Amino acid sequence: MLGGSVYIALIRLIINFAGVSLLFLLLSESRYSRKKTVICYGCFIAVLIALACIWYVVDWESYVRMVALTMYICFAIFAFFMCRDSIYLAVYKLALVFYLMAAYVIGGLEISIIFFDRNVWADIIVRILLILLIAFLLNKYVKKSIKGYGDYVENEADHFSVAAMIICILLGIGYIVNPALNSGLTPQRIYQILINFILTGTLQLLVFRFYLHIGKEKEYERENQLIQMNYRLLERQLEILEESVDSGKRLRHDIRHHNAVMAEYVRRGQQEELLQYLQEYDRETDQGKPEIICANTAVNNILSAYTAKARSEHIVVTLDVELGKNLEIPSIDLVAILANAYENAIYACMEVMKNPDGRECFIHLMLKKRKNKLIISCSNTCKMETELKNGQPKTEFTGGVGVSSIIRTAEKYAGEYDFKNDNGVFVFRLIMNIGSEINRDKNLGMEE
């Protein structure tokens, strides 16, 4: 190393911790508001530095050997507590931050050794400049994409692959910062450090691009599923429209006969018979009225369309819907959930009918609003072998229609959901926050 007094070592330590804190804050999502997060990080670093000073005074030898490792482990534990990412995603971001830390630490040392004759202040200034440069590049080019990338890693990657990738990155960082490599300025040492930086950085870049590509493919798949859902919904609406047209034609054809019959009753003065005929006509007209499921027009239309489709396939449908005319949720979001859930339920029942096992095919849909909660429950007959992966039904058991679209819409409103196969009955349940709670959450997000 460059040497220097204990005060120089303390300054380096403060700069390193400020650097990793700044970079991790740029990449991670904190559990708390921005102001509270900055205060917590500042207090943590101050306490950690104070404990390091006490350790230095009490036991200098163990301090020299263990201070860096111990303090970075403490920082990692604190960072886990502060961020709301999953454990694998948080570990990956910490590995990336430590890699960047190795870059500005080694960069400061090498520039000081090569160009400034081991000047300690040159090392400190270069470290600060490199931290600011890295932070600028992260904020400008990486911060936005890392959010989507993190979601893709969390949702699409298997844990073994993520763990193997993190271990490789940490091993590369450990080799780069190995003290044995910092003894003497030789071309071989510089070459080894440079190659390891390149290999470790290339590994992260390849992993980043790989999962980003996977995530985009999944996005395209979800968009395609949404298009399919809209297409099927239009088919149901066209079927209802065709039935309405046919019904109108029949009504116009039959009304002439009704008028002729009523005119004949009037000419004969048969008033009692005329009243009885009109009562029968009213009953027939009531039976032909479209089913009113709820007061909300969008929900009523979507449920009417799919209920007609289900009953045409001889599926027993039970609806328990309690909704008002206006909801504090856009109709397009609610329709996306209901259409996908109903379509999947119909598909599951039709698959059971292909290999009849004596079970009755049914769909029971419940939709209710309770204060600021929207409760949706759909249970239907399904194959006994219907399997779930990561808590979600596999596409071969849902016809490929957007379970992911349901989940994405539910998460948009901080919803809680679950899927399960209860001995041949598939159950989907969802509770979403709507109304004032959502507005309050959005305002809190803007404040943060």
Side-chain angles (χ1 to χ4, degrees), residues 259-270 274:
N259 289 339
V261 171
M262 288 187 291
E264 187 63 25
Y265 279 129
V266 172
R267 280 195 296 270
R268 295 182 180 183
Q270 297 175 325
L274 176 59

Side-chain angles (χ1 to χ4, degrees), residues 344-356:
N344 290 341
I346 294 173
Y347 178 85
C349 290
M350 293 174 65
E351 287 296 302
V352 173
M353 290 179 180
K354 292 179 181 179
N355 299 298

Side-chain angles (χ1 to χ4, degrees), residues 64 134 159-160 186 235 284 310 327 343 353 357 408 412 418 421 423 427 447:
V64 173
I134 294 171
H159 291 172
F160 176 80
T186 64
E235 282 186 331
E284 291 181 3
L327 288 175
E343 184 82 35
M353 290 179 180
D357 54 5
R408 184 168 55 177
K412 179 179 177 181
D418 72 330
N421 179 4
N423 194 28
V427 180
E447 291 176 0

Side-chain angles (χ1 to χ4, degrees), residues 198-251:
I198 293 174
L199 291 178
T200 308
T202 302
L203 172 63
Q204 296 206 57
L205 180 61
L206 290 176
V207 170
F208 179 85
R209 298 293 298 177
F210 174 71
Y211 284 118
L212 199 62
H213 175 74
I214 291 178
K216 288 182 178 179
E217 288 293 326
K218 291 293 183 180
E219 289 291 335
Y220 296 148
E221 182 180 338
R222 282 191 283 264
E223 290 177 2
N224 182 52
Q225 290 173 351
L226 184 59
I227 292 173
Q228 291 180 18
M229 185 270 292
N230 289 332
Y231 173 75
R232 295 180 188 185
L233 178 57
L234 287 173
E235 282 186 331
R236 303 291 90 80
Q237 295 284 14
L238 285 174
E239 290 173 3
I240 292 177
L241 180 59
E242 289 175 357
E243 291 177 0
S244 299
V245 172
D246 293 339
S247 178
K249 290 179 180 178
R250 289 194 300 270
L251 182 61

Side-chain angles (χ1 to χ4, degrees), residues 321-338:
V321 183
E322 297 179 10
L323 285 182
K325 187 173 182 180
N326 297 315
L327 288 175
E328 298 85 351
I329 175 175
S331 297
I332 186 66
D333 290 334
L334 187 54
V335 165
I337 294 174
L338 293 176

Side-chain angles (χ1 to χ4, degrees), residues 352-388:
V352 173
M353 290 179 180
K354 292 179 181 179
N355 299 298
D357 54 5
R359 292 186 296 154
E360 181 185 50
C361 288
F362 70 90
I363 298 174
H364 180 206
L365 180 65
M366 187 269 288
L367 178 61
K368 296 182 180 181
K369 180 186 176 185
R370 292 291 183 267
K371 296 183 180 179
N372 291 321
K373 304 287 185 181
L374 185 64
I375 305 170
I376 301 175
S377 174
C378 182
S379 56
N380 58 271
T381 311
C382 70
K383 290 183 176 181
M384 292 290 186
E385 61 269 22
T386 299
E387 298 178 3
L388 280 74

